[in-house]
Amino acid sequence: MKTLNSILSLRSLITDWKRQQMSIAFVPTMGNLHKGHLELIKAAKEKSDKVVVSIFVNPTQFSEGEDFENYPRTQQQDIKTLVTYDVDLLFLPLIEEIYHSEAKTMITVADISNLHCGKMRKAHFSGVATIVCKLLNIVQPDRIFLGEKDFQQLAIIRLMVRDLNIAVIIDSVKIIRETDGLAMSSRNGYLTAEQRKIAPNLYQGLCNAADKIKQNLQSFREIEQQQQCVLINLGFKVDYFSICRANDLLFADKNDKELVILAAVTLGKPRLIDNIYIKRWS
Ligand code: PAF
């Protein structure tokens, strides 16, 4: 695996690959790699000749008071993992390489960025859209691989790629779960042993809500309220638990066919997010 820190050297290698008609898949990450990332890399390998992974803890997507400084940085371990997975190129830039000291441009995908996680984390999705757009401009891959766990992030990137006519195919990869259902995340490492036992109830709550939607006996707002109460009683602080339309993430009603139940909670220190996608036929 080649590791490059500069945009210039990365572009030169990618140009070389493209000259040889090779297809390029890109997996952007902030490091602290877990099985969820590895599934993205596996999917990327299946669909392309070369796989590029970036590790960049992006400062613009952390709001004030969030965990930018303390975000887990496990570079040596991550590099070993990427070598094992036979990644072709690791892009490992410094902040100065990515952000001009007098940068004036940020990308904001309107409306959807202010919902759900965007209500609490004001600048977060603008930071995400900006870094993903910049990385796509730098790497110029044929395909980008993103996880479905960050469903709102995925929906926002889809809209950005559509609106800015970015020439890339977006491949989304299913949530990878621990055996007890907890969605894999770099933030799970912050859970105490006691909280770790409680955490899978978030997924259980989503499954219960999905069952109730299928039974069709209660309104969506009632189902949300009930599941929130269950989670609060178990010790979660619930930021939101919402049954939404999968395309624009606005509150869904019974006529909507493609739904996603989105949830964000805090359990002690870490904030956990999870979701379930539901397609209804009747
Ligand atoms: O999902 C992430 O890890 C980040 O938001 C991303 C897409 C790598 C942008 O920094």
Side-chain angles (χ1 to χ4, degrees):
M1 181 179 76
K2 249 195 153 25
T3 300
L4 297 174
N5 312 105
S6 83
I7 295 174
L8 208 66
S9 54
L10 176 123
R11 281 200 168 136
S12 143
L13 180 56
I14 297 224
T15 307
D16 203 37
W17 286 342
K18 288 200 170 175
R19 225 180 268 130
Q20 298 171 54
Q21 310 286 319
M22 289 182 173
S23 59
I24 292 158
F26 176 48
V27 182
T29 82
M30 299 209 297
N32 196 230
L33 303 177
H34 51 72
K35 274 195 207 150
H37 294 112
L38 301 179
E39 288 303 313
L40 296 177
I41 294 170
K42 268 198 241 164
K45 282 187 81 72
E46 273 169 26
K47 287 210 178 154
S48 63
D49 299 316
K50 296 284 182 192
V51 175
V52 181
V53 173
S54 63
I55 297 182
F56 180 66
V57 184
N58 172 37
T60 64
Q61 70 188 76
F62 290 81
S63 307
E64 222 163 279
E66 286 187 350
D67 53 359
F68 173 67
E69 265 84 29
N70 298 324
Y71 193 84
R73 287 164 174 84
T74 51
Q75 197 169 299
Q76 289 319 311
Q77 185 53 46
D78 290 347
I79 291 175
K80 276 190 203 147
T81 308
L82 294 175
V83 169
T84 316
Y85 272 72
D86 210 16
V87 164
D88 299 283
L89 169 56
L90 167 62
F91 183 43
L92 198 58
L94 291 175
I95 293 180
E96 299 74 38
E97 184 68 6
I98 295 293
Y99 287 107
H100 192 282
S101 58
E102 290 171 18
K104 305 280 184 226
T105 311
M106 292 291 286
I107 291 175
T108 300
V109 180
D111 302 332
I112 190 170
S113 297
N114 298 324
L115 305 172
H116 312 296
C117 283
K119 272 193 195 153
M120 312 279 294
R121 309 180 74 195
K122 290 284 175 229
H124 174 67
F125 288 117
S126 185
V128 170
T130 303
I131 189 61
V132 172
C133 184
K134 283 164 76 68
L135 289 169
L136 286 172
N137 281 335
I138 293 166
V139 178
Q140 305 209 352
D142 300 288
R143 317 181 82 100
I144 182 170
F145 287 76
L146 296 163
E148 290 175 6
K149 175 164 173 288
D150 297 301
F151 198 92
Q152 189 172 5
Q153 165 173 288
L154 177 63
I156 288 169
I157 293 172
R158 281 192 195 289
L159 293 177
M160 176 188 75
V161 163
R162 180 197 71 181
D163 294 349
L164 299 182
N165 306 94
I166 301 177
V168 72
I169 296 168
I170 298 175
D171 284 280
S172 70
V173 175
K174 298 240 165 311
I175 298 176
I176 308 301
R177 299 184 180 281
E178 305 285 357
T179 44
D180 58 12
L182 178 65
M184 291 199 185
S185 162
S186 302
R187 293 194 162 97
N188 294 349
Y190 293 130
L191 294 165
T192 63
E194 198 51 43
Q195 290 160 354
R196 177 63 190 80
K197 283 188 208 147
I198 299 169
N201 286 293
L202 174 59
Y203 179 56
Q204 196 50 57
L206 290 167
C207 293
N208 293 345
D211 286 344
K212 289 190 171 160
I213 290 172
K214 282 173 200 149
Q215 287 162 14
N216 204 16
L217 296 173
Q218 288 170 287
S219 80
F220 288 177
R221 305 293 84 84
E222 266 169 3
I223 298 173
E224 288 164 353
Q225 282 295 323
Q226 272 178 4
Q227 293 308 317
Q228 285 189 27
C229 286
V230 172
L231 290 171
I232 290 166
N233 288 335
L234 285 163
F236 293 91
K237 182 178 162 297
V238 181
D239 287 348
Y240 59 84
F241 189 104
S242 308
I243 303 169
C244 305
R245 305 200 296 219
N247 58 345
D248 58 13
L249 308 190
L250 292 172
F251 280 114
D253 66 34
K254 296 218 166 180
N255 298 319
D256 293 310
K257 297 284 177 246
E258 275 191 60
L259 307 177
V260 60
I261 316 174
L262 298 175
V265 297
T266 40
L267 188 57
K269 198 171 156 214
R271 184 166 186 278
L272 309 176
I273 60 169
D274 202 349
N275 67 77
I276 287 189
Y277 172 85
I278 305 166
K279 199 161 189 159
R280 303 153 88 221
W281 299 107
S282 54

